[in-house]
Amino acid sequence: MAKPKLPAYAKRIETLAKKLAELKDRGSRRRFLPPMSDAEITAVEAKIGVPLPDEMRAFYREVASGERPIGEPALLPLDQAITVAPVKPAEPFPFGDAQAQELMAKNQKKARNAPSAALPGPQHGALPVMDLSSAIDCVVLQGEQRGKVWQLWDGGWTPHFVVKKGSPVQLDFLAWVEAIVADALAAAPPPITPDTKAVNLMNCALGELPPALRAATQVETLRAPGNQMAELPAWLGELQRLVELRIGVNPLRSLPDSLGQLAALQVLDLSATQLTALPPWIGQLRALRQLLASMSQLESVPEEIGNLAELTHLNLRQNKLRALPGALGNLASLTELDIAKNALTELPASMGRLTHLRTLKLEDNPLRALPPELAALPLDALRLEALPDLDWESAIDVVSKMPALTSLHIKQPLSALPGALSRMKGLKTLGLIGLGLTEVPPEVTALPAIETLSLDQNQLTTLPDAISRMPALKTVVLFANPIAKDEVARLRAQWPHLKIEHF
């Protein structure tokens, strides 16, 4: 018995299905919806009052039922098509083959920037398939042009076409979809193969990692921030060569335990997720150098973090941390620690053992005090901002003993300047911002090494003569003070060796 003859479009349908699968494997932003059943398509046809062209029906049944919106034009889901414009698909389409040929020939010859020629006519006989905001692509369902794609815009109707061998060729529905898929493939990340070493899936609107990634056993860098992944597959831990894993800006609420097997991992970015805790297995990542988990929902950090002897950068900014583990002091290689914008009321004394720490960010925490042990930190710069509950006298006493500190910024209304500030003879940059100062204290003008003095957001109306006698001073910043412009001009003329910044 002879096999039934396949329709002429069958091969094109099969090819489109393969290309959509490739788009998914490559992590494309374009995500097509599952096909529809015959019954579902029939229900739509009953609603619009006319059957779809066979090849269009086959596409929705065997390839996809539409496309998930991602903030740019997308193939409309079939069951939503008639809601886009007040079209009447069952009414006769206003134009035939001859008019289409004449219009395509005219548009082929038009100047590049000139508007396309169009034919005015009723919105009849076609079904919207893509909303472009300023225009709507439609498939004709009635008459000689059945199955062809036209664009409806303010000027009227214009047929879609391409030029082949110098002549315009009108696009049918499948050719129109093929062009869309070709553009999507051109914009998609490169194919992921077993030999791929770097994968970039940033901002691809992914709900999951591409399955093809599992076989990419040579991959060293995986960047997939800015997607829609709520979970990660356990097989991610099989990618043993991973050195860099960036999966932040995803709605992740948990991480698979298998990630603890990534022995070569040096960079782990978990920023802007929904994680409420770092898992204990984090301590198994002994090669880790950077751990970034800012702007998340972290409420706790495990003691096991102290096992990360190679860690140099730890960013826990803008979370919900109320305490830090004592094991934090074991991070002997740490050079930068950002714990700003949390709910910390105290710091562990063990932080005094961070003998390589150069940058510490503490601002916007309800800290009450700084442990005396922090006086041993080799910081070169420190910003103490938005710390309303801090015991400033004792805190500045601790800070004044830091052996390498050359830059200090304080931003907090204070009734008096802490006395220990006068002992900081090695400071080169000092910021006293928003303290409520009405005059510059003599303790400040007596500091011999100050090169830049920032006095922004205070209540100063002038500067004392002692400013001019500060031996190293080069710049004074006076933004947002009630000092008159003519007074600033006078000071600049009086002290031409100083740069006085003011607006």
Side-chain angles (χ1 to χ4, degrees):
M1 183 176 178
K3 291 183 178 180
K5 187 177 180 180
L6 295 175
Y9 55 77
K11 188 65 176 177
R12 296 171 71 187
I13 290 290
E14 181 182 350
T15 301
L16 277 170
K18 290 179 179 178
K19 288 184 176 180
L20 262 59
E22 182 184 348
L23 280 174
K24 183 176 181 181
D25 282 345
R26 287 170 58 177
S28 169
R29 283 176 53 82
R30 308 294 290 265
R31 305 311 295 270
F32 290 81
L33 302 171
M36 302 171 73
S37 68
D38 274 319
E40 290 171 323
I41 296 173
T42 300
V44 173
E45 290 174 327
K47 185 179 294 186
I48 64 178
V50 62
L52 302 179
D54 290 345
E55 66 274 17
M56 189 175 180
R57 199 178 208 282
F59 175 84
Y60 287 115
R61 184 183 64 242
E62 301 176 32
V63 183
S65 61
E67 191 176 358
R68 186 175 68 192
I70 54 171
E72 57 190 57
L75 177 65
L76 291 169
L78 181 58
D79 57 0
Q80 298 177 20
I82 57 175
T83 66
V84 172
V87 294
K88 297 179 179 180
E91 298 293 327
F93 187 66
F95 313 113
D97 293 347
Q99 289 163 301
Q101 288 295 328
E102 181 181 350
L103 198 54
M104 287 189 296
K106 185 181 295 185
N107 282 326
Q108 183 186 0
K109 296 175 182 178
K110 77 176 181 68
R112 177 178 298 230
N113 295 322
S116 296
L119 293 173
Q123 298 179 15
H124 291 171
L127 184 70
V129 287
M130 181 175 283
D131 186 355
L132 304 166
S133 293
S134 59
I136 299 173
D137 286 351
C138 303
V139 178
V140 177
L141 302 184
Q142 298 278 37
E144 291 181 338
Q145 285 285 290
R146 179 174 165 82
K148 296 302 195 317
V149 181
W150 286 64
Q151 189 168 92
L152 177 63
W153 56 294
D154 289 345
W157 291 93
T158 303
H160 267 290
F161 69 93
V162 294
V163 177
K164 292 185 178 180
K165 297 181 179 179
S167 299
V169 177
Q170 193 173 5
L171 296 183
D172 61 16
F173 173 73
L174 289 185
W176 177 82
V177 173
E178 287 163 351
I180 289 173
V181 173
D183 287 344
L185 283 169
I192 300 173
T193 70
D195 296 325
T196 297
K197 291 190 175 182
V199 176
N200 188 348
L201 301 172
M202 183 182 298
N203 299 326
C204 288
L206 298 177
E208 60 184 14
L209 288 174
L213 182 61
R214 185 172 189 176
T217 54
Q218 303 301 305
V219 70
E220 297 176 357
T221 300
L222 172 58
R223 298 175 181 174
N227 285 289
Q228 300 166 7
M229 295 182 290
E231 59 183 9
L232 299 175
W235 54 255
L236 194 57
E238 299 171 10
L239 305 182
Q240 290 290 297
R241 292 179 179 267
L242 266 180
V243 173
E244 180 180 336
L245 177 59
R246 296 185 183 271
I247 48 175
V249 201
N250 275 288
L252 296 169
R253 294 186 177 277
S254 63
L255 300 171
D257 292 346
S258 61
L259 296 190
Q261 302 168 15
L262 299 175
L265 198 64
Q266 295 183 19
V267 178
L268 177 58
D269 189 348
L270 303 170
S271 305
T273 66
Q274 296 298 311
L275 295 173
T276 58
L278 291 177
W281 55 253
I282 204 81
Q284 299 173 31
L285 305 177
R286 301 301 178 92
L288 204 61
R289 294 179 179 272
Q290 295 184 34
L291 177 55
L292 314 174
S294 64
M295 297 183 291
S296 294
Q297 304 295 318
L298 296 181
E299 297 176 359
S300 64
V301 175
E303 290 285 342
E304 286 83 355
I305 199 171
N307 297 332
L308 304 179
E310 301 298 318
L311 198 67
T312 61
H313 290 70
L314 177 58
N315 190 336
L316 300 172
R317 186 183 190 89
Q318 200 168 333
N319 279 283
K320 297 180 178 180
L321 298 172
R322 295 183 177 277
L324 295 173
L328 195 69
N330 298 340
L331 302 178
S333 300
L334 201 64
T335 61
E336 183 171 328
L337 175 61
D338 189 343
I339 49 177
K341 296 189 175 183
N342 277 284
L344 298 168
T345 57
E346 60 182 6
L347 301 176
S350 62
M351 284 178 56
R353 302 201 305 269
L354 299 176
T355 55
H356 287 82
L357 196 66
R358 294 292 182 271
T359 301
L360 174 61
K361 298 181 180 180
L362 299 172
E363 66 267 21
D364 205 356
N365 274 290
L367 288 172
R368 293 191 290 264
L370 298 183
E373 291 80 0
L374 266 57
L377 293 180
L379 301 178
D380 51 24
L382 181 62
R383 302 186 75 95
L384 299 176
E385 303 176 1
L387 300 168
D389 300 325
L390 191 65
D391 180 342
W392 285 91
E393 282 290 343
S394 66
I396 297 302
D397 182 60
V398 172
V399 171
S400 69
K401 299 172 184 175
M402 292 179 176
L405 197 68
T406 60
S407 177
L408 174 64
H409 280 75
I410 299 172
K411 185 178 181 182
Q412 182 68 44
L414 297 177
S415 57
L417 202 63
L421 189 66
S422 62
R423 299 202 301 266
M424 303 183 71
K425 306 299 185 182
L427 276 184
K428 295 183 178 180
T429 299
L430 176 61
L432 301 175
I433 303 166
L435 272 68
L437 297 175
T438 56
E439 59 183 22
V440 181
E443 298 94 329
V444 173
T445 56
L447 294 175
I450 296 292
E451 297 176 359
T452 299
L453 178 60
S454 296
L455 299 167
D456 313 50
Q457 303 172 36
N458 282 289
Q459 299 298 315
L460 300 173
T461 56
T462 189
L463 294 175
D465 289 342
I467 286 282
S468 66
R469 296 191 291 273
M470 295 176 70
L473 189 64
K474 299 176 181 177
T475 302
V476 181
V477 183
L478 291 172
F479 295 136
N481 276 278
I483 184 170
K485 290 183 178 180
D486 57 352
E487 175 64 5
V488 174
R490 185 188 70 81
L491 293 173
R492 286 171 175 164
Q494 183 177 346
W495 304 325
H497 65 290
L498 290 182
K499 180 180 179 182
I500 300 177
E501 297 184 357
H502 180 260
F503 55 76

